[in-house]
Amino acid sequence: MEDAGKKLVTEGVDCKIPVTEAWIRKHRLLYDGATRHPFIRSIRDGSVDFSYFKRWLGQDYIFVRSFVPFVASTLVKSSKESGDGLDMEVILGGMASLNDEINWFKNEASKFHVSLTSVVPQKANIKYCRFLENLTSSEVEYPVAISVFWAIEVVYQESFAHCLEEGNLIPEELQGTCERWGNEGFGTYCKTLREIADRCLQKASPEVISKAEVAFLSVLEYEVDFWNMSIGEA
Ligand SMILES: Cc1ncc(CNC=O)c(N)n1
């Protein structure tokens, strides 16, 4: 990534637009790279290679299993925030759906004859999981963690909602996958996470906002690498 000349957004406090909005505008190309990846476009236009889909499925199952402790650590951070406790309930809801998701992966894997117990995590996946593990530390501030949480969820939400847009030729077997993350309820959930993140970022110090922006960018890069890995290009 060529980042020369780019300044980090640290003026969140007095900005009219929410911090996450400023980030997306500033990093549009990378954001679109993560949410409109060729793999996603191939699902939408029906040209997807099923061997790539199966690779994605096995790798994503491993990813989701390491996503859970990260979300749990974010839940712990939210519980220490002074507030009405609503953040914690939203994150708890997210954890509950991850439980369903793990079962969904097992079910999908058996449909596609993917053996989840023999999946070997690939490099891009290992790096992404390690990044998440580092963020579980209590030293990592809540605004950083909640921004990362939102970014991870929104990439899948935007990607699969794009697949479902009018005129799609999604293969029948992948309709359920697209609906899992592209459905309206998941969209609403991501919006709520974004509002929580923006509220936290608004109160955060410029230093913490910068850290959160760097972490947001890392998520986008890891997501692009993850899709690339799925199509065998990493
Ligand atoms: C690599 C990756 N990024 C985001 C998600 C969506 N969050 C939880 O399911 C996911 N499953 N996998």
Side-chain angles (χ1 to χ4, degrees):
M1 258 300 293
E2 183 54 69
D3 256 333
K6 276 186 185 167
K7 260 193 69 191
L8 295 174
V9 177
T10 53
E11 301 88 7
V13 179
D14 300 307
C15 268
K16 288 277 182 297
I17 60 161
V19 177
T20 59
E21 176 67 32
W23 290 350
I24 291 174
R25 287 189 197 178
K26 196 170 129 192
H27 306 295
R28 190 81 230 179
L29 273 177
L30 185 53
Y31 188 80
D32 289 349
T35 56
R36 297 288 186 272
H37 190 273
F39 177 63
I40 279 297
R41 292 189 192 275
S42 77
I43 293 176
R44 177 177 156 74
D45 71 19
S47 69
V48 59
D49 182 327
F50 277 79
S51 72
Y52 296 168
F53 177 77
K54 286 162 80 166
R55 172 155 43 196
W56 167 81
L57 192 71
Q59 294 296 320
D60 213 43
Y61 172 73
I62 294 175
F63 173 82
V64 168
R65 294 193 73 95
S66 19
F67 187 46
V68 173
F70 163 72
V71 177
S73 73
T74 307
L75 180 87
V76 170
K77 283 165 189 155
S78 80
S79 74
K80 290 173 179 160
E81 281 288 293
S82 63
D84 47 22
L86 289 177
D87 290 22
M88 196 185 81
E89 288 171 33
V90 173
I91 300 165
L92 185 60
M95 291 208 61
S97 32
L98 285 171
N99 186 36
D100 290 347
E101 197 168 303
I102 285 173
N103 290 314
W104 177 86
F105 271 101
K106 288 180 182 166
N107 199 41
E108 263 335 82
S110 98
K111 275 203 272 183
F112 285 93
H113 308 289
V114 172
S115 161
L116 291 177
T117 49
S118 35
V119 176
V120 178
Q122 294 189 28
K123 213 158 100 190
N125 200 1
I126 293 168
K127 284 188 183 166
Y128 200 177
C129 292
R130 193 173 298 145
F131 166 77
L132 287 185
E133 200 186 328
N134 290 334
L135 289 173
T136 61
S137 157
S138 60
E139 310 271 291
V140 174
E141 297 86 350
Y142 179 53
V144 177
I146 193 74
S147 298
V148 165
F149 185 22
W150 160 72
I152 291 172
E153 298 288 50
V154 83
V155 167
Y156 267 42
Q157 191 271 325
E158 283 225 21
S159 296
F160 289 106
H162 173 65
C163 291
L164 291 170
E165 280 167 21
E166 216 171 288
N168 76 74
L169 295 166
I170 302 169
E172 199 185 288
E173 303 93 313
L174 306 191
Q175 186 72 29
T177 302
C178 296
E179 278 164 10
R180 165 149 283 278
W181 290 281
N183 78 77
E184 213 183 299
F186 195 71
T188 308
Y189 163 67
C190 288
K191 259 195 204 128
T192 309
L193 285 180
R194 183 171 181 171
E195 283 161 9
I196 295 172
D198 277 319
R199 194 182 17 71
C200 290
L201 290 161
Q202 203 175 53
K203 295 187 289 182
S205 68
E207 190 206 348
V208 169
I209 298 172
S210 291
K211 275 198 222 172
E213 186 180 7
V214 170
F216 166 73
L217 284 177
S218 300
V219 168
L220 297 180
E221 281 165 359
Y222 285 123
E223 289 288 344
V224 171
D225 291 347
F226 202 93
W227 295 130
N228 285 340
M229 167 191 71
S230 302
I231 63 170
E233 292 190 359

